[in-house]
Amino acid sequence: MGGLDRAPHTSRRSGRPGKPGALLYVTPRVSALSSSSTILETKALTVRFGGLAALSNVSLSVARGEIRGVIGPNGAGKSTFFNCLTGVLRPTSGRIVFNGEDIAGLPPHTISRKAIARSYQITNLLPGATVLENVRIASQSRRHNWSMLRHHRAYRDVIDRARAVLADVGLAGKEDELASNLSHGEQRNLEIGIALATEPKLLCLDEPTAGMSVAETHSTVDLIRRIARDLTILIVEHDMEVVMGLAQTITVLNYGEVLAEGRPAEIQANPRVQEVYLKT
Ligand code: ADP
Ligand code: MG
């Protein structure tokens, strides 16, 4: 794979920048243009931090059910892109149309209810809570409108759902462990479980295999393939073998701009992409 064997590693920054100064409020509205095969479309998405454009006119379209890889060197804007999609960050300008609705600038809890979830680049678990509790809390956040604490059956449903999610991510039998006692790989998979418990239609994975052993990486790749049957997935990943093997389409960001987009083989063969990776 030449220069694309393995990209340089990121510093493990939190990927949760503060809000930019100049904010442009975008009123959510239904787009007549979005077709049902497109789940997500960004249009000229731009984020500026002072003089720096962390994202610049990023326009892309993701098909329902696709696994889309997002790659690019350190500082290319990948985490900023996820932060916009999940409401952690308000874009300076541009649109994010999800299921036909402009969600740019909506707060994270509203976006979560619209069925976009994310796993963080840095683990986001409650280390002192059990594995089951971690997933239950996420699952409950999705259903809190049902006043479920007052309804024993609804509560049991949440527990059942949490157990099913844990089985999906390979953590059956670990329900009563403290999250902090899990191995690194198990914690990362638990994080995917927490995201799944919110019942997303779009799942954003920020470096899901970072820091994993080869065996853990393989099992996480299998896990992502499995859950992708029911979901659309965006995956930021530095391990080229992982992302090239998983994604149908890859978008390459560089200095906040889309440098290239295409099938994995096209991206690997793209001289501009190779140049960017060889330089860093
Ligand atoms: P990636 O995830 O691709 O490594 P990021 O999206 O984290 O890149 O960052 C893109 C650019 O935006 C980088 O130059 C980074 O330093 C800058 N950046 C990110 N967050 C902030 C912030 N809160 N304030 C200022 N600059 C930021
Ligand atoms: Mg990042």
Side-chain angles (χ1 to χ4, degrees):
M1 249 191 275
L4 289 182
D5 275 353
R6 193 168 176 108
H9 248 268
T10 50
S11 63
R12 300 267 171 255
R13 274 187 306 94
S14 77
R16 284 205 233 188
K19 314 244 181 224
L23 302 182
L24 186 129
Y25 285 77
V26 185
T27 315
R29 61 174 176 251
V30 173
S31 160
L33 296 173
S34 76
S35 70
S36 62
S37 66
T38 301
I39 189 167
L40 176 77
E41 210 173 354
T42 68
K43 296 177 182 174
L45 197 61
T46 298
V47 174
R48 282 186 226 288
F49 296 110
L52 173 89
L55 282 183
S56 187
N57 283 312
V58 171
S59 296
L60 57 80
S61 174
V62 178
R64 203 173 292 279
E66 182 181 341
I67 302 182
R68 168 67 58 98
V70 179
I71 66 171
N74 246 343
K78 305 179 297 295
S79 293
T80 300
F81 183 63
F82 274 14
N83 285 339
C84 289
L85 295 183
T86 51
V88 172
L89 192 63
R90 193 189 303 273
T92 310
S93 60
R95 297 176 65 194
I96 304 170
V97 180
F98 176 67
N99 271 330
E101 184 184 358
D102 193 340
I103 60 161
L106 294 180
H109 61 274
T110 308
I111 289 184
S112 167
R113 265 189 235 122
K114 293 185 186 297
I116 298 181
R118 155 191 206 163
S119 80
Y120 278 91
Q121 198 173 340
I122 287 197
T123 55
N124 196 35
L125 311 172
L126 300 171
T130 66
V131 168
L132 184 65
E133 282 291 280
N134 266 279
V135 176
R136 179 189 63 83
I137 289 162
S139 177
Q140 209 164 307
S141 74
R142 184 85 175 111
R143 292 152 189 261
H144 75 277
N145 285 341
W146 299 7
S147 331
M148 49 146 309
L149 282 173
R150 277 178 279 153
H151 299 291
H152 186 62
R153 226 184 91 204
Y155 185 77
R156 256 202 350 246
D157 285 351
V158 167
I159 297 287
D160 288 348
R161 165 91 189 135
R163 288 185 184 281
V165 165
L166 286 172
D168 282 349
V169 299
L171 291 173
K174 304 257 176 176
E175 289 86 353
D176 299 327
E177 292 269 357
L178 290 183
S180 56
N181 286 346
L182 297 182
S183 72
H184 176 75
E186 287 171 333
Q187 288 189 4
R188 302 297 323 254
N189 289 351
L190 174 55
E191 237 189 302
I192 295 177
I194 289 170
L196 287 178
T198 65
E199 299 174 36
K201 294 197 167 58
L202 175 67
L203 177 61
C204 303
L205 300 172
D206 202 347
E207 298 196 29
T209 71
M212 283 188 176
S213 68
V214 173
E216 287 173 335
T217 298
H218 282 149
S219 94
T220 300
V221 166
D222 287 344
L223 161 61
I224 293 169
R225 276 215 184 91
R226 221 163 46 234
I227 60 181
R229 290 182 203 136
D230 309 312
L231 278 174
T232 307
I233 292 183
L234 290 183
I235 175 171
V236 165
E237 181 55 68
H238 276 78
D239 186 324
M240 287 300 146
E241 212 177 301
V242 167
V243 74
M244 296 288 168
L246 275 172
Q248 282 98 44
T249 308
I250 292 183
T251 302
V252 186
L253 293 180
N254 190 36
Y255 293 115
E257 294 181 357
V258 176
L259 177 81
E261 192 170 284
R263 308 269 159 223
E266 293 165 349
I267 294 300
Q268 278 171 252
N270 184 318
R272 293 180 69 203
V273 177
Q274 287 172 359
E275 194 188 332
V276 161
Y277 274 90
L278 287 172
K279 258 193 334 216
T280 51

